[in-house]
Amino acid sequence: VRLGSPDRMVKSLVRYFGWAFGAVAFAMYGLLFIVAVGVMTGRWEEFLFYYENLFSAERAPAILCAWCGLKLIHELFHAGVCRRYGGEVSEAGLAFILFMPLAYVNVTSSWRFSSRWKRLHVTLAGIVAEASVAAAALLIWNISEIATIRQIASDVFLTATVSSLLFNLNPLLRFDGYFALADLTGVDNLYALGKRYSCYIGSRYILGLDVFPPVLPTARPGWIKMYGIAAAIYRTLTVAGLVIGAAAMFEGAGVLIAAGGLFAFVILPLAQLVMRLYRVWQAGQLSVTRLAFRLLSIAGFLTVLLISLPVTISRTVPAIVQYDPPGILRAQSAGFVDRILVQNGEFVVAEQPILVLRNSDLVLARDRKRTELAQTEQAMLKARWLGDSAETKQLESTARALAEQLTELERDVNQLTIVAPQPGRVSARRISDLCGTYLKAGTEIGVIGVEDQKRLKVSLSQRDIAGLEDVEHPIRVRVIGGSETWDASVQRIETRASTTPADPALLAINGGTLPSLSAAAETPELAAPRVNALVRLDPAHARQLPCGKRVSVALGIAPPSLAEAAIDGLREYLAW
């Protein structure tokens, strides 16, 4: 989509902010990136925690906005540097790859620059600009303590770095990295020459056609040949990855996108190839027998490879680490937190005080009830002394009712002191922030348990449950952010699905992966009902995982080969 020429706007921008597109400024951008990465030393694990719910629906709008903003900055710096050196920006617009928007500007006027370094500066300007934005995002993440701002900063950093490394800086695609490589090697038509050579290799050694090798420049012919073959392989893998990723990530719409990608990148090229082979066959230059033998040999080799190549692919679901059994710390009576007697991570004994609440109205009601009971008992003694049996019976009945009410009030007052229900370690990350806050009756504060007695509470969809019905072997557990994997047995699977999350930490609004219906609701519900399962951990692994940590559970044992994985995935998708 052509949007016209932005040359006049870029010229005005360079007039006032030309320093931002100079070599000195770009050196400062690089220094900023180094400083930002250095500041993150020791905090990368905490930073990576913000990517646990990367593929949830709630993250998609923010990532798309970050992508569009970064592409705008990227192309603006291309245009600004080109205009600063005297070039023209004749055109700007949008291109779409599988409906993903990619902005572009026409800076081909930079090819006329006599200096190779000026051309290289124009080529790498967008990548350096995105790197500086990524650095700023890292610094903002370090400074801010607000979870929303940190989430946005992590999205900006990921989008800036991944898009630069996988697309812009990749020399095997015709983006910035390719043009930089062409400038450094001095081969202007590197992509076209490499494509000609890869087509020759495919025609000569795969299809068996009698074709002549293309004429290559005398300088660096080996480099051109290697680049052509690598680019052809990468293009094939990239197209396959984009089509599979689109089908997997966007559900029904993804299938349509994938179908469009298959038609544009696979079916049309194959149709053109078939027409070419037909013309060659009509000219008497194609041996059908030799072509069939080669194609069958290649198909057989790929089949053997798919059958023999092992994989470790399996579907994962979210889970939360809990004590087994968990001793729930819960406010039995409402009140304001007056004193905090223990902190998160401390070991306690049974009945040890944890929090002391303050409720003046409750204490006053208890004292009034005590006074009322005492007055009733005094009146009852007087009636007995006077021999008034009717009055005595009535006062005795009143006294019993008052005593029962007082007992309840005494219990409520005593429960203002929250005690440990069992010995173990306290797991309550927000306990230090509760002083002065009001807790309703029933509010959960944390849990207490033994470190070597833990379990995983796993959240399963209806589709996951169907796949577990006949599973007799243990399911595989993988900790997010860790490299160790181990097997653990399913202890119990609930029979009813519910929209209540297994743990609030698993919701996307709290950094998890599960979407909820409303972030503003007091108790958010899951967007779709799910079933909980309990997985028991052995003592050694239980001690390694802190209570409240989010983990991933891989369901079942992965198929031993790529072919079986593909067949299982297709069968499961069609059944769903």
Side-chain angles (χ1 to χ4, degrees):
V1 180
R2 294 185 176 89
L3 302 178
S5 173
D7 191 66
R8 183 175 300 178
M9 181 193 69
V10 176
K11 184 178 180 180
S12 300
L13 187 66
V14 172
R15 180 185 305 168
Y16 296 103
F17 301 99
W19 56 269
F21 304 106
V24 176
F26 273 58
M28 297 300 295
Y29 299 150
L31 180 62
L32 176 66
F33 188 83
I34 294 174
V35 171
V37 172
V39 170
M40 289 295 296
T41 302
R43 306 195 67 183
W44 285 109
E45 184 175 356
E46 181 185 0
F47 180 77
L48 294 176
F49 167 79
Y50 282 82
Y51 294 125
E52 289 187 3
N53 63 333
L54 179 61
F55 296 106
S56 63
E58 286 79 3
R59 295 286 290 273
I63 293 177
L64 181 60
C65 290
W67 172 275
C68 294
L70 284 166
K71 295 305 112 179
L72 180 62
I73 294 173
H74 181 105
E75 300 304 326
L76 182 63
F77 267 75
H78 278 312
V81 175
C82 180
R83 201 66 182 81
R84 190 175 188 273
Y85 288 134
E88 296 180 358
V89 186
S90 59
E91 184 183 341
L94 290 174
F96 293 87
I97 298 180
L98 292 181
F99 297 98
M100 179 64 71
L102 292 174
Y104 74 91
V105 291
N106 189 339
V107 291
T108 54
S109 60
S110 64
W111 297 351
R112 299 193 300 266
F113 295 163
S114 59
S115 172
R116 176 190 301 182
W117 301 111
K118 289 183 179 180
R119 296 197 303 268
L120 197 61
H121 189 184
V122 175
T123 300
L124 298 179
I127 296 176
V128 174
E130 289 198 53
S132 64
V133 174
L138 281 183
L139 295 176
I140 291 173
W141 186 91
N142 272 279
I143 295 172
S144 177
E145 296 295 335
I146 302 174
T148 303
I149 295 179
R150 283 188 158 192
Q151 189 77 80
I152 295 173
S154 63
D155 289 341
V156 171
F157 176 81
L158 177 71
T159 308
T161 53
V162 169
S163 64
S164 291
L165 293 176
L166 295 185
F167 293 98
N168 296 314
L169 200 58
N170 190 340
L172 299 178
L173 297 173
R174 293 194 67 185
F175 293 122
D176 299 343
Y178 162 74
F179 292 106
L181 181 63
D183 283 331
L184 291 174
T185 58
V187 182
D188 294 335
N189 298 323
L190 180 60
Y191 186 86
L193 294 172
K195 186 175 181 181
R196 289 179 195 171
Y197 187 77
S198 64
C199 290
Y200 161 73
I201 292 294
S203 301
R204 178 69 179 84
Y205 296 101
I206 296 179
L207 301 179
L209 301 179
D210 295 326
V211 293
F212 296 99
V215 178
L216 301 178
T218 55
R220 302 182 177 88
W223 170 254
I224 296 174
K225 294 177 181 179
M226 184 174 62
Y227 176 85
I229 296 174
I233 295 174
Y234 184 81
R235 281 197 305 270
T236 303
L237 296 177
T238 300
V239 169
L242 288 175
V243 171
I244 294 173
M249 292 176 59
F250 301 105
E251 297 183 355
V255 174
L256 295 178
I257 295 174
L262 283 173
F263 181 79
F265 299 125
V266 179
I267 296 177
L268 279 181
L270 284 178
Q272 294 172 357
L273 177 61
V274 170
M275 293 301 297
R276 179 192 172 194
L277 292 175
Y278 179 73
R279 289 192 298 267
V280 174
W281 175 75
Q282 282 186 323
Q285 301 174 358
L286 175 64
S287 172
V288 177
T289 304
R290 183 169 58 177
L291 176 61
F293 175 76
R294 289 173 179 266
L295 293 180
L296 288 175
S297 299
I298 294 173
F301 172 76
L302 293 177
T303 302
V304 172
L305 184 66
L306 288 175
I307 293 175
S308 60
L309 192 63
V311 295
T312 57
I313 302 172
S314 57
R315 188 172 67 257
T316 59
V317 292
I320 195 79
V321 180
Q322 296 180 338
Y323 288 119
D324 186 21
I328 307 297
L329 283 175
R330 197 185 305 274
Q332 301 296 332
S333 299
F336 293 91
V337 178
D338 189 42
R339 284 179 292 162
I340 302 174
L341 304 179
V342 300
Q343 294 300 322
N344 182 40
E346 288 188 22
F347 284 95
V348 296
V349 297
E351 302 299 323
Q352 179 177 337
I354 305 296
L355 290 177
V356 177
L357 306 183
R358 183 183 71 256
N359 189 330
S360 301
D361 293 338
L362 185 60
V363 174
L364 182 59
R366 180 203 60 182
D367 294 341
R368 287 176 177 173
K369 195 63 65 177
R370 282 178 178 176
T371 301
E372 189 177 351
L373 178 59
Q375 292 173 347
T376 302
E377 289 176 344
Q378 186 67 28
M380 184 177 60
L381 291 175
K382 181 179 179 181
R384 285 177 180 173
W385 178 262
L386 296 175
D388 190 344
S389 58
E391 181 70 14
T392 300
K393 290 181 179 180
Q394 181 179 356
L395 290 173
E396 286 178 350
S397 177
T398 303
R400 284 195 298 270
L402 290 174
E404 292 177 359
Q405 296 173 14
L406 179 60
T407 300
E408 293 181 1
L409 289 173
E410 291 280 9
R411 183 196 61 198
D412 293 341
V413 170
N414 292 334
Q415 288 176 345
L416 289 175
T417 300
I418 302 174
V419 298
Q422 63 185 42
R425 184 194 292 270
V426 176
S427 178
R429 287 176 291 183
R430 298 176 54 193
I431 192 170
S432 59
D433 302 328
L434 293 179
C435 192
T437 61
Y438 181 78
L439 300 181
K440 296 180 180 180
T443 301
E444 186 174 326
I445 301 166
V447 294
I448 295 177
V450 182
E451 286 302 303
D452 58 358
Q453 297 178 9
K454 291 176 186 170
R455 67 188 184 189
L456 298 180
K457 194 169 186 180
V458 187
S459 182
L460 304 169
S461 67
Q462 299 292 335
R463 183 182 175 190
D464 300 326
I465 289 294
L468 281 179
E469 288 178 349
D470 299 327
V471 172
E472 298 179 356
H473 48 67
I475 69 174
R476 196 168 180 79
V477 176
R478 183 178 65 202
V479 180
I480 293 180
S483 58
E484 184 182 4
T485 63
W486 65 91
D487 293 337
S489 301
V490 177
Q491 182 179 356
R492 180 170 60 89
I493 298 179
E494 295 180 355
T495 57
R496 296 184 59 184
S498 173
T499 56
T500 301
D503 192 278
L506 297 180
L507 296 175
I509 57 175
N510 297 323
T513 58
L514 301 180
S516 58
L517 291 177
S518 175
E522 184 175 351
T523 55
E525 296 183 348
L526 293 168
R530 297 178 72 89
V531 176
N532 298 327
L534 299 180
V535 175
R536 180 170 294 166
L537 298 176
D538 59 82
H541 291 112
R543 286 189 290 268
Q544 295 178 11
L545 298 178
C547 182
K549 180 178 178 63
R550 287 187 289 263
V551 300
S552 283
V553 171
L555 301 178
I557 302 300
S561 69
L562 279 174
E564 293 186 12
I567 293 172
D568 289 349
L570 180 61
R571 184 186 298 115
E572 183 178 337
Y573 182 79
L574 292 176
W576 180 67

